[in-house]
Amino acid sequence: MNNVNLIGYLGKDFEVGTTNSGKLYAKNSLAITKRWKNERGNEESSTTWIPIVLFGKSAESASTHIKKGAQFACSGELSSNQYQDEDGNAKTILSVIVSKFYWLGKKDKDDNKTQTPQVPPKEPDIDYENTNIESEEAQVF
């Protein structure tokens, strides 16, 4: 079984594009922060960035309505892809192909406008330029 469930904060606005076959996709990174107390009782934290990809109407809806910093919950499957970087080194990228998602934002009580989203930690610079999204079955993020 390949099933992933995540809740985190979007690191940026969705990047939208189309696959070689013309299917719409939207990609982003989800920040998931783990917090704990160390042996001295001081709070520590660590943030993991998970690449996510949505397709079709889900991609259109998410990219139109959900912005950087929004709390986001999703279910999907883990996908891995290999490629060679510009130096010829073999690289593997893991991403989650989202099948269901939920925006966990709150509404402002006074005027039903969306509140300003929370800003997640700064996303690390990751170069995805040498990768290509081909199909839902074999994703390259």
Side-chain angles (χ1 to χ4, degrees), residues 16 33 55 96 100 111 136:
V16 179
T33 301
F55 288 92
V96 174
K100 294 180 184 179
D111 59 5
E136 287 184 60

Side-chain angles (χ1 to χ4, degrees), residues 81-95:
N81 286 290
Q82 294 76 34
Y83 72 97
Q84 287 188 347
D85 67 12
E86 56 195 33
D87 298 325
N89 300 315
K91 300 286 184 176
T92 300
I93 292 190
L94 295 175
S95 59

